Amino acid sequence: MKKLFTVLTLLLILKSHAQSYYKNLFDSKQYDVVPLNSTSPNQAEFSWIVSAHMEALVLMYEKTHDVKYANVLIGTMGNVIDRRDDLRDQLPPNIGVSNISDYRGISGAAWSTNHYNITPDSGGTYAHVVHSANITYPMAKFAAIVKKDTTIQNTMYNSGGRYNGLTFKVIANDLKQKVSETLIYHKNQWYTEPNNMIGYYKERNDNPPINNAGEILPFNMQSAMGRVLVQMYLATDNLDYLTQINQIANFLKANTSFNANLQSNKWTYWKKDTSREDISHGGLTISFPYECHKYGVLNGSTPIYTDSDMNAYANTLTRDIYQSPLYINNGVDYSLISWNVKSGPASGVDISTYTCFRWACLSVYDKKIYQLLAEIQTAENYYTPLTPENSPLAVAYLAYYENLIVPVNTEHGWGSGSDWRGLASGNFDGDDAHEFVVIRNYDGMIGTMEPYGKKFHSVTNDKYYNGQYNWRGIAAGDFFGDNKSEIVTLSNHADPGNNGVYILKIENNNIVEHTKSTGWDGQSDWVGTAAGNFITGGKDDFIAVKNLNKEVLVFNFNGTTPQLVHTNALNLPSNSKITAVASANLDGAGKDEIVLLVDAQDSDYNGIYVYNIDDNGVMTKIAQSTNWGSGSEWRGLAVGNLDGNGADEIIVHRNYDGEYVAYTLNGNILNSTGVERFPILQTQDNIMCTGNFDSSSKNDELVTLRKDGGIVMFSAAKVIRSNFSSNKQLDPCKNEVPEVLFSFKSASFKRDDIKEISVR
């Protein structure tokens, strides 16, 4: 068991160091410093890369209220404004930049570039509406935040650059002016239809050096500018912005239809033709409706976007794009290009069109969306080519919407034929972190693993029995008093001579069978086993649970041989079924408790049970949470110190709704402390355990074995670190500038039969 922290002062110190997992990642990737490319003379740097970094910083500030992010944002915005086409000559002469005039000979309030010209990187420059929107959005949003929060308005910025020595309020006022100037620069690209109800932006039509001259801009670009207008309205209360917001919303709504079967919205890339809206661009398109709804923008007394509108957008992701765990369509109402993320994308497909982190904002309306997207981000075939952690904005989105746990290590190479039967944590290699042991029924394999990079690797050699053993659970504990973990597992073998308890240990990097207790009734219907400090004596003990007669058997060790101490018959209906068992120290002191999950038709018995065990092996029920519906289908159970506060929590999962729910024990009461929601199929019939796999953290991590064969490890969203380190780099932004402005590529796709890997 993990050592407990009993000194109150130390606990208070540890709690004060609790940090968001993704906030830690954001800072460790050096995204909390002013990026060097914000001083680039190349305006193309600002269009997507630096602007995304600024958006990430304003998100982090809005989420955490940490002034550090505001200061870095202000420094970055100052650099970007200094390099606006018409302001560059205000920089010192030694900088070596001069004002830029666009293809019309106008030097204006924008960041023009020839990178996206018909002939890339040649000819006159052009200021794209979407680039101006990307760049000015964080400025307008920061100004709106400062207006709303009077407590920060007199905060001084003293980190150099354009805004050095000014208060946040003065800076915000200047930002509003600068954004207004950019909006005016694009004013003659704004069109309203005769009824004055619909409005949109177009490309210029005076022989610009770009494609699609005079065309109405794609919907994602309308939304990009629309959310600038939302923030400017919030920052200024100028009703002209509200009028324009309504007109863009009406334009988008007029080109959005409703799929009654899926209860979802659908739309194309733009009005020009029926090209699909891929996932990446769709994430920007939904950002404007989201901001209107989030910030309560009204048309008179009516919300511009209603709850039902937002639920329909959420359904676009969960019912249209998302087909099943790690299997997604490429775009809205478009099934011709799909990606089974367990394997590589289809040949010739632009994988950047699968960038999906912006959709995380819709987790406000459907809580399972966060885990749906987070799992994709951490799947090897996704993160290897797309490297989401190299995007400050992707990390900021994952930080902004994180809740209870976040996936950090995944391995999806295993097939559903694995038929996982058990999972437990222990110390098998003698280091200062836990490892975990798995058992599967396909071939009777027992193997130990630990996190390695973003995946896992083996700690010891695997041991194989065969597929006839019908394994039922596994546990690990220091049974022999040798300061390392041994393994116990149960076989529900049809042959009573093989049915029973197996004790294994690690010798010379091999898992070897030490002893066994077989000859049990072939109808035992073993549920599982759990190890812990149940009986006084300095070594771990274990329990074995069977559904036959609803019994819990308590064992301890006489030397290295298990001895049955007591058989406990539970007061449960004969038609109920114990589905999972775990053990841990739930009160932070003394010996371990055990937890059982029970499925019962009678709701009085359906739920969670907690027991303690005395030195005679006698169990006493100390708490329960029952009266759950008979359709709950309790399946997953783990007990550990997920929040890092010293006492263990219970994490349970039910198939009914895909929820993970955390509980703490308070006397004889179980209190729910957090809920994480998943797509139902993503967690169906999963097996769970916790362990301190990351020794730099005080928190336990959660490992799950999935029905589809996958292994996923979760960290707590709020992490208490053991130590702190920082290695600053000069330039965290290494992303390349996108080569295509609209970046829409059509591709043919023929789906091959998807085959799962059932053995390794």
Side-chain angles (χ1 to χ4, degrees):
M1 298 302 298
K2 193 176 179 182
K3 291 182 179 179
L4 301 174
F5 297 95
T6 57
V7 180
L8 179 60
T9 302
L10 179 58
L11 285 175
L12 292 174
I13 292 171
L14 291 174
K15 287 182 180 180
S16 70
H17 290 160
Q19 295 285 331
S20 154
Y21 174 86
Y22 277 111
K23 181 181 186 298
N24 284 339
L25 178 62
F26 191 91
D27 294 353
S28 70
K29 298 284 284 187
Q30 313 309 310
Y31 299 146
D32 60 339
V33 298
V34 176
L36 283 182
N37 54 7
S38 69
T39 63
S40 173
N42 181 0
Q43 304 295 60
E45 289 283 343
F46 305 124
S47 57
W48 299 102
I49 305 306
V50 179
S51 60
H53 200 142
M54 291 193 295
E55 184 177 347
L57 288 164
V58 78
L59 273 175
M60 293 300 289
Y61 180 60
E62 184 180 40
K63 173 71 172 181
T64 67
H65 307 292
D66 187 338
V67 73
K68 170 182 71 174
Y69 297 116
N71 286 332
V72 176
L73 174 64
I74 291 168
T76 307
M77 291 188 297
N79 289 342
V80 172
I81 291 170
D82 284 343
R83 285 153 183 82
R84 203 174 73 178
D85 284 6
D86 59 341
L87 299 177
R88 290 158 62 94
D89 62 354
Q90 296 180 14
L91 290 168
N94 63 321
I95 298 295
V97 298
S98 57
N99 285 4
I100 294 174
S101 296
D102 65 18
Y103 72 102
R104 302 169 300 168
I106 296 173
S107 182
W111 295 259
S112 62
T113 176
N114 61 10
H115 186 69
Y116 299 99
N117 285 1
I118 296 173
T119 303
D121 301 312
S122 66
T125 64
Y126 184 85
H128 296 272
V129 168
V130 68
H131 295 167
S132 293
N134 291 342
I135 294 165
T136 58
Y137 169 73
M139 301 175 186
K141 184 167 185 175
F142 182 71
I145 290 172
V146 172
K147 179 194 173 188
K148 182 178 180 180
D149 187 355
T150 58
T151 66
I152 64 172
Q153 292 177 354
N154 292 323
T155 302
M156 295 292 296
Y157 171 75
N158 291 307
S159 297
R162 166 178 283 268
Y163 293 121
N164 190 54
L166 302 178
T167 66
F168 280 16
K169 183 176 182 179
V170 172
I171 295 168
N173 287 336
D174 186 68
L175 290 172
K176 287 184 284 187
Q177 177 60 34
K178 294 298 186 293
V179 175
S180 174
E181 291 166 1
T182 300
L183 292 172
I184 291 170
Y185 174 88
H186 291 288
K187 188 174 182 179
N188 58 1
Q189 292 180 257
W190 172 254
Y191 294 82
T192 55
E193 295 193 351
N195 61 11
N196 211 37
M197 297 294 293
I198 291 177
Y200 40 77
Y201 283 93
K202 290 184 176 183
E203 297 287 18
R204 298 189 188 277
N205 199 26
D206 51 1
N207 198 31
I210 59 163
N211 288 307
N212 303 303
E215 292 289 349
I216 298 174
L217 290 176
F219 302 130
N220 73 88
M221 299 183 185
Q222 307 290 344
S223 278
M225 190 58 92
R227 64 183 189 151
V228 176
L229 297 168
V230 168
Q231 296 301 328
M232 285 296 284
Y233 173 60
L234 297 175
T236 66
D237 295 320
N238 186 329
L239 293 178
D240 290 340
Y241 293 131
L242 180 59
T243 298
Q244 209 170 349
I245 290 166
N246 270 291
Q247 291 169 332
I248 291 178
N250 289 336
F251 174 65
L252 293 179
K253 290 177 182 180
N255 290 279
T256 300
S257 56
F258 185 69
N259 183 329
N261 290 330
L262 300 179
Q263 295 291 294
S264 64
N265 285 334
K266 60 181 182 178
W267 64 96
T268 56
Y269 179 72
W270 52 6
K271 191 175 177 65
K272 176 183 177 182
D273 57 38
T274 59
S275 299
R276 76 181 183 279
E277 176 83 313
D278 63 63
I279 301 172
S280 178
H281 291 100
L284 189 54
T285 301
I286 57 107
S287 66
F288 168 66
Y290 168 75
E291 297 237 339
C292 288
H293 192 264
K294 175 182 179 180
Y295 296 107
V297 182
L298 304 176
N299 180 12
S301 60
T302 304
I304 290 179
Y305 282 94
T306 65
D307 290 346
S308 61
D309 291 327
M310 302 314 300
N311 289 330
Y313 279 118
N315 290 341
T316 299
L317 178 65
T318 61
R319 301 181 184 180
D320 177 3
I321 294 172
Y322 178 85
Q323 298 298 296
S324 62
L326 296 173
Y327 192 90
I328 52 176
N329 289 335
N330 182 259
V332 176
D333 192 36
Y334 189 83
S335 60
L336 296 182
I337 302 178
S338 301
W339 185 2
N340 176 3
V341 182
K342 294 179 184 179
S343 59
S347 176
V349 172
D350 177 10
I351 59 173
S352 70
T353 61
Y354 287 93
T355 303
C356 56
F357 60 82
R358 284 189 184 274
W359 291 83
C361 67
L362 297 180
S363 62
V364 173
Y365 309 101
D366 187 337
K367 296 296 184 183
K368 65 180 177 285
I369 283 177
Y370 183 88
Q371 291 294 348
L372 179 163
L373 295 173
E375 181 178 270
I376 291 173
Q377 307 283 328
T378 51
E380 179 186 14
N381 288 310
Y382 189 89
Y383 71 71
T384 298
L386 290 174
T387 58
E389 288 184 4
N390 287 348
S391 164
L393 190 54
V395 177
Y397 263 85
L398 293 170
Y400 195 94
Y401 297 100
E402 69 183 2
N403 180 25
L404 181 65
I405 53 175
V406 295
V408 291
N409 290 76
T410 62
E411 173 59 84
H412 292 288
W414 308 83
S416 59
S418 297
D419 191 10
W420 299 114
R421 292 301 180 90
L423 171 68
S425 64
N427 194 332
F428 306 112
D429 61 3
D431 63 11
D432 60 353
H434 284 166
E435 298 79 46
F436 61 91
V437 58
V438 301
I439 188 167
R440 68 181 182 184
N441 216 46
Y442 168 75
D443 52 5
M445 185 272 283
I446 302 174
T448 57
M449 302 181 190
E450 65 182 355
Y452 183 76
K454 292 179 70 66
K455 298 175 66 177
F456 307 98
H457 69 178
S458 295
V459 178
T460 64
N461 295 321
D462 298 338
K463 180 174 180 61
Y464 291 84
Y465 283 83
N466 61 54
Q468 303 304 311
Y469 278 77
N470 197 9
W471 297 113
R472 298 291 180 91
I474 198 165
D478 182 7
F479 303 136
F480 303 161
D482 56 1
N483 295 316
K484 62 180 181 180
S485 295
E486 287 76 44
I487 299 166
V488 56
T489 186
L490 304 176
S491 170
N492 211 55
H493 203 290
D495 178 0
N498 292 313
N499 185 300
V501 181
Y502 289 71
I503 308 296
L504 305 104
K505 61 181 180 178
I506 310 300
E507 285 186 354
N508 300 319
N509 208 43
N510 292 309
I511 302 171
V512 299
E513 186 178 300
H514 174 75
T515 189
K516 58 187 176 183
S517 173
T518 56
W520 296 83
D521 190 327
Q523 303 302 313
S524 293
D525 192 10
W526 298 105
V527 176
T529 179
N533 176 20
F534 305 131
I535 297 174
T536 303
K539 294 183 293 185
D540 283 336
D541 318 291
F542 72 91
I543 61 170
V545 182
K546 58 181 182 177
N547 270 312
L548 179 66
N549 300 325
K550 306 298 181 291
E551 292 178 342
V552 177
L553 287 61
V554 181
F555 293 83
N556 72 354
F557 282 82
N558 179 7
T560 59
T561 303
Q563 302 290 319
L564 177 61
V565 178
H566 188 73
T567 298
N568 295 272
L570 304 180
N571 181 26
L572 293 171
S574 60
N575 63 355
S576 64
K577 188 176 181 63
I578 305 168
T579 60
V581 55
S583 68
N585 194 315
L586 298 174
D587 57 13
K591 298 187 296 183
D592 292 333
E593 292 75 40
I594 70 168
V595 184
L596 301 178
L597 294 185
V598 176
D599 274 340
Q601 292 300 311
D602 185 340
S603 63
D604 288 342
Y605 293 93
N606 191 298
I608 308 163
Y609 293 78
V610 180
Y611 302 84
N612 64 22
I613 301 176
D614 68 18
D615 282 352
N616 295 314
V618 177
M619 289 171 46
T620 302
K621 183 173 66 178
I622 56 177
Q624 68 182 57
S625 175
T626 52
N627 290 304
W628 298 88
S630 59
S632 297
E633 282 197 73
W634 299 102
R635 290 296 180 268
L637 171 64
V639 187
N641 187 9
L642 196 64
D643 62 7
N645 73 351
D648 291 329
E649 300 87 50
I650 301 169
I651 302 96
V652 297
H653 162 257
R654 53 182 181 253
N655 277 346
Y656 169 73
D657 54 9
E659 287 188 350
Y660 287 4
V661 186
Y663 289 89
T664 58
L665 179 65
N666 183 10
N668 63 351
I669 302 297
L670 287 173
N671 295 317
S672 175
T673 59
V675 177
E676 192 71 71
R677 293 183 174 89
F678 294 78
I680 291 174
L681 291 179
Q682 198 164 307
T683 58
Q684 187 177 29
D685 291 342
N686 68 1
I687 299 168
M688 307 161 65
C689 83
T690 64
N692 186 217
F693 305 108
D694 177 5
S695 58
S696 70
S697 153
K698 299 298 183 183
N699 309 67
D700 283 350
E701 291 75 44
L702 177 70
V703 183
T704 63
L705 303 181
R706 292 171 27 142
K707 186 177 181 179
D708 66 3
I711 305 175
V712 181
M713 178 180 287
F714 297 87
S715 169
K718 301 301 179 187
V719 178
I720 298 173
R721 291 297 183 192
S722 299
N723 50 63
F724 301 88
S725 62
S726 178
N727 296 302
K728 297 290 185 182
Q729 298 175 357
L730 290 178
D731 187 3
C733 292
K734 301 296 183 183
N735 306 54
E736 296 180 357
V737 177
E739 290 303 320
V740 182
L741 173 65
F742 286 55
S743 66
F744 175 80
K745 297 181 180 179
S746 61
S748 61
F749 175 70
K750 183 177 181 180
R751 179 182 172 187
D752 294 326
D753 291 336
I754 297 171
K755 299 178 181 179
E756 294 192 69
I757 301 172
S758 296
V759 296
R760 288 180 66 98

